Amino acid sequence: NSRSPVGPPAAAEAVRGDASRWDVAVYRQVFEQSPHATFVVDASSQALLAANQAAVRQYGYSVEEFAAMRFSDLAAGGGAPVDPAGTGIQPEGARHRTRDGVLLDVEVKVSSVRVSGREVWVAAVHDVTERKRSERALAEDRHMLDTLLNHCPDRIYFKDRESRFLRCSQAVIAPLGIRDASEALGKTDF
């Protein structure tokens, strides 16, 4: 069977190479207790060979359900594949879908490992949904502030404690003979 389980202990044995120094149980514990969703993936078929408990919590699938899936099944909308031979990082903007259909913004890092002559990937998946949501909210806030500063007829400015401009409206810079607000940054009006 080409999908025989290659759980963390087998992968650890192959990577470590010295069974006398470390107990395989240590590697299983590291894999299982990782705070990040982590998978062992068959490189040729993308079959999920192992998934840790963080993956179960993040995606909502059981370990048995993961065993019937491919890594690519997690991608929402056929996301871009991971190339561990390259950077080992899935391109920016990767999205995965949970069992409940919730979309997650994810950052995927993959390492290629040979286990008993078979190439497997160890994939760590970080849920960056909240970070992406915060980045979008910050970009929207900045856009609204820029719009206000560029179009409001009132003199609006922000200064530091030394009275240097941090941000200012067009109404502030026009009387100073400055055309672009960025030219006023770090300067005073004295």
Side-chain angles (χ1 to χ4, degrees), residues 142-160:
R142 284 187 177 167
H143 176 70
M144 287 189 328
L145 179 59
D146 288 342
T147 301
L148 174 70
L149 293 175
N150 290 332
H151 300 291
C152 181
D154 296 327
R155 294 174 47 92
I156 302 171
Y157 57 89
F158 302 93
K159 290 186 172 189
D160 64 14

Side-chain angles (χ1 to χ4, degrees), residues 30-38 52-55 57-58 125-127:
V30 167
F31 178 80
E32 286 299 332
Q33 293 182 5
S34 171
H36 305 291
T38 306
N52 69 358
Q53 289 304 305
R57 285 189 303 273
Q58 182 168 303
V125 181
H126 303 270
D127 179 358

Side-chain angles (χ1 to χ4, degrees), residues 1-188:
N1 180 357
S2 66
R3 288 191 65 178
S4 59
V6 180
E13 288 277 343
V15 171
R16 183 181 68 235
D18 182 6
S20 64
R21 287 185 39 197
W22 290 95
D23 183 7
V24 172
V26 171
Y27 288 97
R28 178 177 291 283
Q29 195 171 15
V30 167
F31 178 80
E32 286 299 332
Q33 293 182 5
S34 171
H36 305 291
T38 306
F39 300 93
V40 177
V41 182
D42 180 87
S44 62
S45 68
Q46 287 204 8
L48 295 178
L49 303 173
N52 69 358
Q53 289 304 305
V56 170
R57 285 189 303 273
Q58 182 168 303
Y59 289 92
Y61 293 103
S62 67
V63 171
E64 294 76 22
E65 289 172 311
F66 276 131
M69 298 171 68
R70 299 184 186 292
F71 191 65
S72 56
D73 293 338
L74 299 173
V82 176
D83 177 17
T87 63
I89 300 173
Q90 193 163 24
E92 184 75 20
R95 298 190 90 190
H96 282 182
R97 187 179 308 278
T98 68
R99 187 174 196 269
D100 295 335
V102 174
L103 291 176
L104 302 175
D105 291 306
V106 295
E107 191 173 80
V108 182
K109 296 183 180 171
V110 178
S111 297
S112 180
V113 179
R114 288 208 94 38
V115 178
S116 303
R118 177 182 185 183
E119 183 183 6
V120 297
W121 298 341
V122 177
V125 181
H126 303 270
D127 179 358
V128 294
T129 305
E130 286 304 315
R131 184 183 81 198
K132 293 290 186 181
R133 190 174 292 135
S134 295
E135 288 171 356
R136 285 189 295 271
L138 180 59
E140 287 174 15
D141 287 350
R142 284 187 177 167
H143 176 70
M144 287 189 328
L145 179 59
D146 288 342
T147 301
L148 174 70
L149 293 175
N150 290 332
H151 300 291
C152 181
D154 296 327
R155 294 174 47 92
I156 302 171
Y157 57 89
F158 302 93
K159 290 186 172 189
D160 64 14
R161 291 179 183 208
E162 284 78 40
S163 196
R164 294 179 297 223
F165 286 109
L166 299 172
R167 299 283 303 260
C168 56
S169 66
Q170 292 296 319
V172 169
I173 64 169
L176 299 174
I178 299 173
R179 294 174 52 171
D180 186 70
S182 64
E183 295 176 43
L185 300 182
K187 298 179 180 168
T188 68

